Amino acid sequence: MNSMELTKKNIIKTLEKISFSGETDNIVSSGVLQNVQVFGDQVDIGLLVSNPALQARKRLEVDIMKIIHSDIYEKAKIKITCKVENKAKNPESSDSSSSSESSDTNITSQAKKISGVDSIIAVSSAKGGVGKSTITVNLAASLAKKGCKVGILDADIYGPSVPTMMDVEGYVPKAVKINDVSKIEPAESYGVKIMSIGFFTKLDQAVVWRGPMASKALNQMIFDTNWGDLDFLFLDLPPGTGDIHLSLVQALPINGAIIVSTPQNVALADARRGIKMFQQDSISVPIIGLIENMAYFQADESDEKNYIFGEAGVKYLSKDLNIEFLGEVPIYKSLREASDFGRPASLQESTDVSKVFDNISKSVVEQLLKRNKDLPPTKVVEITNLVGCSAIKK
Ligand code: ADP
């Protein structure tokens, strides 16, 4: 008979009754229990153990599930992610996870491939307003123009601007059945599939969701969207380096991150912090490269370049950190206008701005292929099939 409410506090109290194989302390006081999150009837548990024996870990996971089901709530859906201390070379082999429900429908804190999606690229900036969404939509549109299958997940809960920039404001996502599984149909514009947190909230309202709530919603949007087959899925992350980033980048097999910054000193300091976040051990998302936005302004071609935010700061940062420099985007009135109008400027025929994005998207793909060749396919998916995508064939 269940006698307690399914809360984090009650779960921790109950788990004090269990100890890990070979240890006298219980899993709470010994630090094996690292993390507990409760969303409705769903429980996510993170463990860190020093004994790598699979049997011991599986036994512990079964014990945890049993005691929560018997002492607290018999229908709790429990997801356990277990990491082993002294990481093995391949992080996948040191992780295991168990679940009391089908892993296909689960919201999980462990990286999981999205069916049909070849490469996931996170676009990040530690600072708001530096042009992260502008870069995301223009890169996506540029690659779609070249024949790639592209999607954007707009995860910027503080200011989802992708719907406006891609002219799908007010889109109401519908449910569809794909092989008897319920999915959400994304919007599609200029050949790019789009899912945005903005479809579920009013665009003029800042979404002040608590971290776990936002993470849960984003996870659902990622895994429940009917993306179909994609060569690239761009993630437009919220600015900063908070909990939402951690849970997103840990939940997804992200191939690489692009960092966007202006050359201004304050922005560069934040960019360094953002880069560190991706590079820390528990995340280990390779950085594909840096993009300098708002690099300079030039009223017309014969004018001198005006380095409004300072000159080449991002280029220097990439040299300093030995990270690829993917390119610079000057300040263009036409780029701002195109964003406001809802038609990415990269779709224009042979304009200065479209050429800039053609070159940067080519660099992104080259670096992504290089990254997949040079680094082992740990938690990331490998590019396998990029049929029809001429950006890659060049
Ligand atoms: P973020 O996603 O980092 O918050 P946005 O992409 O929304 O930033 O850009 C903020 C504003 O700056 C938008 O109005 C956008 O149109 C404009 N903007 C961004 N980059 C440029 C650029 N290179 N030239 C002109 N305007 C730009």
Side-chain angles (χ1 to χ4, degrees):
M1 246 310 87
N2 302 149
S3 55
M4 281 188 272
E5 218 187 314
L6 189 68
T7 61
K8 184 172 173 170
K9 200 171 152 199
N10 285 340
I11 291 168
I12 293 173
K13 206 167 140 212
T14 302
L15 295 184
E16 281 173 351
K17 296 177 193 165
I18 296 180
S19 55
F20 186 49
S21 172
E23 290 184 10
T24 45
D25 284 342
N26 68 64
I27 60 169
V28 179
S29 59
S30 65
V32 166
L33 182 70
Q34 293 272 303
N35 179 34
V36 176
Q37 286 183 341
V38 182
F39 312 108
D41 62 355
Q42 181 136 3
V43 181
D44 276 8
I45 290 179
L47 305 174
L48 180 69
V49 298
S50 50
N51 178 349
L54 186 63
Q55 284 305 320
R57 280 187 276 151
K58 287 288 160 208
R59 235 185 349 259
L60 176 64
E61 289 169 4
V62 170
D63 287 349
I64 290 173
M65 285 190 190
K66 269 192 187 159
I67 203 163
I68 293 176
H69 285 150
S70 65
D71 287 14
I72 307 181
Y73 182 45
E74 62 193 339
K75 289 183 184 160
K77 292 168 182 164
I78 305 162
K79 175 83 196 170
I80 301 174
T81 304
C82 187
K83 293 201 166 175
V84 181
E85 249 170 349
N86 299 328
K87 279 183 150 189
K89 277 191 190 115
N90 177 354
E92 253 184 354
S93 66
S94 66
D95 288 357
S96 74
S97 69
S98 298
S99 168
S100 62
E101 60 174 338
S102 149
S103 63
D104 276 334
T105 54
N106 226 348
I107 294 156
T108 154
S109 57
Q110 186 183 339
K112 181 171 80 171
K113 192 179 187 305
I114 305 174
S115 160
V117 177
D118 267 325
S119 292
I120 305 176
I121 301 170
V123 184
S124 179
S125 69
K127 217 172 157 48
V130 298
K132 173 181 49 63
S133 302
T134 307
I135 302 283
T136 306
V137 299
N138 280 286
L139 286 182
S142 171
L143 287 167
K145 188 174 75 175
K146 289 172 178 156
C148 302
K149 297 187 215 96
V150 187
I152 301 177
L153 179 93
D154 175 12
D156 190 345
I157 56 162
Y158 304 111
S161 46
V162 172
T164 307
M165 293 178 177
M166 295 294 281
D167 197 20
V168 286
E169 242 176 283
Y171 174 78
V172 181
K174 293 169 214 67
V176 283
K177 283 258 179 208
I178 305 291
N179 299 330
D180 261 0
V181 179
S182 205
K183 293 272 179 188
I184 318 167
E185 194 61 20
E188 190 163 344
S189 191
Y190 311 115
V192 178
K193 295 196 172 158
I194 303 151
M195 183 51 74
S196 171
I197 195 116
F199 297 152
F200 303 93
T201 178
K202 286 191 184 135
L203 281 181
D204 56 354
Q205 282 178 358
V207 186
V208 272
W209 291 347
R210 283 178 302 116
M213 210 171 141
S215 299
K216 186 185 172 191
L218 289 172
N219 268 289
Q220 264 174 338
M221 280 167 49
I222 291 162
F223 291 108
D224 294 351
T225 295
N226 179 30
W227 295 111
D229 287 334
L230 292 184
D231 297 315
F232 304 106
L233 175 62
F234 284 92
L235 285 186
D236 186 359
L237 292 177
T241 51
D243 286 353
I244 292 166
H245 300 79
L246 290 180
S247 79
L248 265 183
V249 296
Q250 284 170 330
L252 285 173
I254 294 174
N255 293 69
I258 294 172
I259 312 288
V260 179
S261 178
T262 63
Q264 203 177 359
N265 279 342
V266 279
L268 293 172
D270 286 345
R272 269 182 199 270
R273 244 200 345 269
I275 291 166
K276 266 202 188 131
M277 177 190 79
F278 284 108
Q279 291 178 332
Q280 67 183 257
D281 271 0
S282 61
I283 293 181
S284 281
V285 171
I287 312 271
I288 299 174
L290 310 187
I291 295 178
E292 179 165 295
N293 191 27
M294 308 191 191
Y296 57 85
F297 177 72
Q298 218 174 1
D300 67 57
E301 265 179 43
S302 55
D303 270 10
E304 254 186 48
K305 291 178 180 169
N306 188 344
Y307 296 95
I308 294 173
F309 295 112
E311 190 175 345
V314 181
K315 214 178 269 168
Y316 291 131
L317 181 66
S318 70
K319 270 208 185 109
D320 187 28
L321 299 178
N322 200 19
I323 295 175
E324 195 65 27
F325 182 70
L326 297 168
E328 62 184 16
V329 183
I331 298 175
Y332 291 114
K333 187 166 172 236
S334 63
L335 179 54
R336 200 271 305 148
E337 283 169 347
S339 297
D340 289 351
F341 184 74
R343 189 173 196 279
S346 60
L347 293 173
Q348 294 161 3
E349 278 301 320
S350 299
T351 57
D352 285 351
V353 62
S354 70
K355 282 182 203 155
V356 163
F357 283 106
D358 281 347
N359 287 333
I360 297 181
S361 62
K362 198 158 175 269
S363 302
V364 167
V365 174
E366 280 166 5
Q367 289 310 313
L368 194 62
L369 291 173
K370 186 166 177 285
R371 172 259 167 274
N372 280 4
K373 196 164 149 271
D374 293 349
L375 297 174
T378 50
K379 284 185 178 175
V380 296
V381 286
E382 276 185 294
I383 297 184
T384 48
N385 150 30
L386 293 166
V387 182
C389 189
S390 59
I392 288 89
K393 287 181 187 149
K394 281 189 182 158

